[in-house]
């Protein structure tokens, strides 16, 4: 409900009184986190490990089985394809989704970034052992700053993927090769996790004129974990105190973008409620794909989903043209 009120306070409803309600409700969840067993995981990377798929940060998550194609999570389908490069077999990670290059450059380089975006490829090396031939897979990193084309062609989200689990389980000893498909299909798809509640509380409180130490602490807990520091102790990664409300809000909105990167209830909905469509060109480089959105698409209708046809059929008062 706090998330609903946060959205209602923004575009297009713009009922600013809802910020206070969003802060109140998110604050109640935080105050009673111990009762409901909500807590941030100490290690950000564990959020997408199969061993931690049921955890105390998950408020609302979807669980899928990877045992067959009917129960896999198609959003997390990331394939490892075999190709030849530098005379070594290369297992390049491919996906339907690629983060913008500018987003990557602006993303603070820390532990969270390393566990959010794949920038490299897996190589396979053959070696002889006593009476047998073995294969070892290792990760070859590339620097996106110096290899922008590699990034644009190959960088993919690491969330929803448990690489260690996939590499360990998908090796075919009969053919001495790796066949890796549907990586991370058993990993939780988070629709809402406790980290988002903390950030919602901080933003809604600030926008309702109640910026205080608790708001800073809610954001700082996220920032500490992003840098693999102790979540509950002050650190060099904390926001500087004494920020203006606008400076704090800018910090928390970007923290949401980085923390919730590529999760379903994240950046898209922030773009809508903050009415950012006219600023989208500021968030990409010309080399990013797609490079732009035509002006005729950037109308207010761009923000909204089309009403499902079945719902239109049920509503006798809905009028539409023959198309």
């Amino acid at each position: 409900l706090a998330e609903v009120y946060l959205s209602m306070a923004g575009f297009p409803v713009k009922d600013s009184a809802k910020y206070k309600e969003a802060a109140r409700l998110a604050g109640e969840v935080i105050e009673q986190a111990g009762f409901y067993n909500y807590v941030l995981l100490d290690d950000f990377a564990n959020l997408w490990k199969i061993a931690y798929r049921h955890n105390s940060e998950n408020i609302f998550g979807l669980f899928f089985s990877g045992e067959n194609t009917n129960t896999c999570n198609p959003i997390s389908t990331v394939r490892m394809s075999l190709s030849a490069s530098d005379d070594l077999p290369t297992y390049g990670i491919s996906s339907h989704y690629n983060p913008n290059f500018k987003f990557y450059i602006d993303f603070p380089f820390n532990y969270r970034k390393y566990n959010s975006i794949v920038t490299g490829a897996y190589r396979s090396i053959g070696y002889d052992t006593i009476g047998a031939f073995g294969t070892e897979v290792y990760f070859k990193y590339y620097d996106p700053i110096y290899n922008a084309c590699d990034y644009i062609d190959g960088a993919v989200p690491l969330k929803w993927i448990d690489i260690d689990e996939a590499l360990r389980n998908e090796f075919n000893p009969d053919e001495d090769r790796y066949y890796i498909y549907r990586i991370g299909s058993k990993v939780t798809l988070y629709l809402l996790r406790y980290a988002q509640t903390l950030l919602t509380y901080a933003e809604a409180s600030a926008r309702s004129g109640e910026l205080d130490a608790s708001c800073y602490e809610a954001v700082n807990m996220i920032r500490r974990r992003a840098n693999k520091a102790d979540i509950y102790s002050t650190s060099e990664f904390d926001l500087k105190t004494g920020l203006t409300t606008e400076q704090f809000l800018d910090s928390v909105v970007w923290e949401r973008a980085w923390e919730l990167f590529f999760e379903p209830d994240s950046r898209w909905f922030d773009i809508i409620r903050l009415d950012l469509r006219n600023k989208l060109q500021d968030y990409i480089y010309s080399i990013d794909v797609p490079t732009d959105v035509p002006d005729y698409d950037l109308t207010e209708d761009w923000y909204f989903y089309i009403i499902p046809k079945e719902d239109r059929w049920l509503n006798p008062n809905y009028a539409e043209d023959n198309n």
Side-chain angles (χ1 to χ4, degrees):
L1 188 55
E3 298 300 320
V4 171
Y5 283 151
L6 184 70
S7 293
M8 291 179 68
F11 179 88
V13 179
K14 296 184 178 180
D15 183 357
S16 59
K18 292 295 190 293
Y19 282 128
K20 188 171 184 177
E21 287 299 293
R24 179 182 66 82
L25 290 165
E28 287 182 1
V29 175
I30 295 170
E31 289 173 2
Q32 300 180 65
F35 178 80
Y36 291 110
N37 195 31
Y38 292 144
V39 66
L40 293 178
L41 291 189
D42 291 337
D43 191 331
F44 179 83
N46 284 342
L47 285 163
W48 290 276
K49 297 291 186 182
I50 290 175
Y52 293 87
R53 63 188 305 226
H54 300 288
N55 61 71
S56 295
E57 188 166 336
N58 178 30
I59 293 178
F60 182 20
L62 302 179
F63 304 96
F64 296 83
S65 169
E67 301 303 323
N68 60 69
T69 57
N70 294 324
T71 56
C72 280
N73 171 16
I75 296 178
S76 69
T77 299
V78 178
R79 302 183 183 279
M80 299 277 280
S81 55
L82 181 65
S83 63
S85 176
D86 300 334
D87 299 324
L88 292 173
T90 299
Y91 298 86
I93 303 175
S94 61
S95 173
H96 297 295
Y97 310 101
N98 297 86
N100 283 338
F101 186 45
K102 188 176 189 310
F103 182 83
Y104 176 87
I105 297 299
D106 293 338
F107 200 130
F109 190 83
N110 53 27
Y111 182 73
R112 178 175 57 191
K113 182 176 188 173
Y114 179 79
N115 285 283
S116 295
I117 303 174
V118 175
T119 54
Y122 286 84
R123 297 287 175 85
S124 176
I125 296 180
Y127 59 91
D128 290 314
T129 61
I130 298 176
F133 179 79
T135 301
E136 179 179 347
V137 174
Y138 73 98
F139 184 74
K140 181 179 181 181
Y141 169 79
Y142 62 79
D143 188 340
I145 296 178
Y146 297 102
N147 302 92
C149 291
D150 286 341
Y151 176 88
I152 293 169
D153 290 340
V156 298
L158 189 56
K159 290 183 176 181
W160 317 320
I161 307 170
D162 189 338
I163 292 291
D164 293 337
E165 186 77 12
L167 290 174
R168 184 167 65 250
N169 288 345
E170 299 298 329
F171 179 67
N172 186 327
D174 295 331
E175 299 183 32
D176 195 28
R177 293 180 63 184
Y178 284 84
Y179 290 96
I180 305 173
Y181 300 101
R182 299 190 179 279
I183 300 172
S185 58
K186 294 182 180 179
V187 181
T188 308
L189 177 62
Y190 297 100
L191 299 183
L192 179 61
R193 54 188 175 91
Y194 186 57
Q196 185 174 348
T197 301
L198 290 169
L199 294 171
T200 293
Y201 168 78
E203 180 183 349
S205 296
R207 293 191 187 278
S208 59
E210 299 178 4
L211 176 57
D212 59 20
S214 66
C215 301
Y216 278 88
E217 183 61 14
V219 180
N220 288 336
M221 290 169 65
I222 305 297
R223 292 170 65 91
R224 293 165 194 157
R225 182 175 67 173
N227 290 277
K228 212 171 184 182
D230 181 70
I231 295 174
Y232 304 104
S233 302
T234 57
S235 75
E236 61 183 302
F237 309 109
D238 293 2
L239 291 174
K240 294 181 179 180
T241 57
L243 297 177
T244 66
T245 299
E246 288 305 313
Q247 289 172 329
F248 180 86
L249 288 172
D250 183 67
S251 297
V252 73
V253 167
W254 276 109
E255 203 63 43
R256 288 176 65 93
W258 298 321
E259 174 69 21
L260 305 174
F261 161 73
F262 245 83
E263 296 180 44
D265 188 16
S266 57
R267 186 64 173 164
W268 169 255
F269 295 99
D270 285 351
I271 288 173
I272 293 174
R273 67 182 179 83
L274 298 173
D275 197 13
L276 295 177
R277 75 180 185 278
N278 293 326
K279 296 184 178 181
L280 294 180
Q281 293 301 316
D282 298 336
Y283 302 143
I284 62 173
Y285 289 138
S286 60
I287 58 175
D288 276 320
V289 181
T291 56
D292 64 349
V293 178
D295 291 339
Y296 59 78
D297 283 339
L298 290 179
T299 64
E300 291 192 0
D301 290 341
W302 178 84
Y303 281 122
F304 303 102
Y305 292 111
I306 295 175
I307 298 174
K309 184 175 291 186
E310 291 80 2
D311 290 338
R312 284 179 266 161
W313 288 342
L314 294 173
N315 186 348
N317 296 317
Y318 184 85
E320 61 181 338
D321 59 30
N322 292 331
N323 294 325

